[in-house]
Amino acid sequence: MLDPEDSAEHKVGSSFPKPFLVFVAMLIVLGAWLLLAFSAFEQKETDFYSFKVVNIRGKLVSLEKYRGAVSLVVNVASECGYTDSHYKVLQQLQRELGPYHFNVLAFPCNQFGQQEPDSNKEIESFARKTYGVSFPMFSKVAVTGTGANPAFKYLVESTGEEPTWNFWKYLVNPSGKVVKVWDSTVAVEEIKPYVTELIRDIIRKKKDEL
């Protein structure tokens, strides 16, 4: 007589043909591999230039275009007590050093005192007409909190320094790593020596490659 347990095993086995079981096993292995690969990708170190952002005219752009240059990343505002002094000197810095592998990268933000309330178009018009701004400007973003722009999240997480007001300044080297951070109270004039030193390093390396 057929053992009841043998009969149960036969029924289970006959319900799932061997090729199907092999296929399922392969899917499990593949899923595990993909999970590991995704985790490794997520853990891969990023840098500031690996992000994409929206410029002030609504176009998605890659910060990769600034790799190899020095960047001074600033959260700007149009109605702040620091607006006039910062915009004037930031533009002066751009004009003097811009041809030598340097850019001010301005990100309007309305999180502090509601001092950047206007639209992107109005912000750009104000900056261009009032200060002759020629450096790149980006769409208005949040720079702190859960809704912060990913590029700014990187700046904050990599430095432990989160903006608490308008015109925080992050100095990013040609490899996309943050090397210095200054708060609103630090004048741009005080930052210039750090910027010029990074630019000298770029020029020296280019000369060594010749």
Side-chain angles (χ1 to χ4, degrees), residues 40-101:
F41 176 78
E42 285 293 288
Q43 293 169 7
K44 183 181 178 182
E45 189 176 17
T46 58
D47 60 67
F48 181 72
Y49 297 132
S50 68
F51 293 93
K52 291 183 179 180
V53 295
V54 177
N55 70 14
I56 202 155
R57 297 187 178 181
K59 181 181 178 182
L60 183 67
V61 296
S62 174
L63 292 174
E64 191 69 33
K65 66 189 292 185
Y66 302 109
R67 187 177 298 281
V70 179
S71 297
L72 187 63
V73 185
V74 189
N75 60 304
V76 299
S78 302
E79 301 177 4
C80 179
Y82 294 107
T83 299
D84 192 63
S85 61
H86 272 72
Y87 261 122
K88 283 178 178 176
V89 186
L90 287 171
Q91 174 54 25
Q92 182 180 344
L93 201 64
Q94 179 70 36
R95 188 170 58 249
E96 291 178 10
L97 304 177
Y100 305 103
H101 318 290

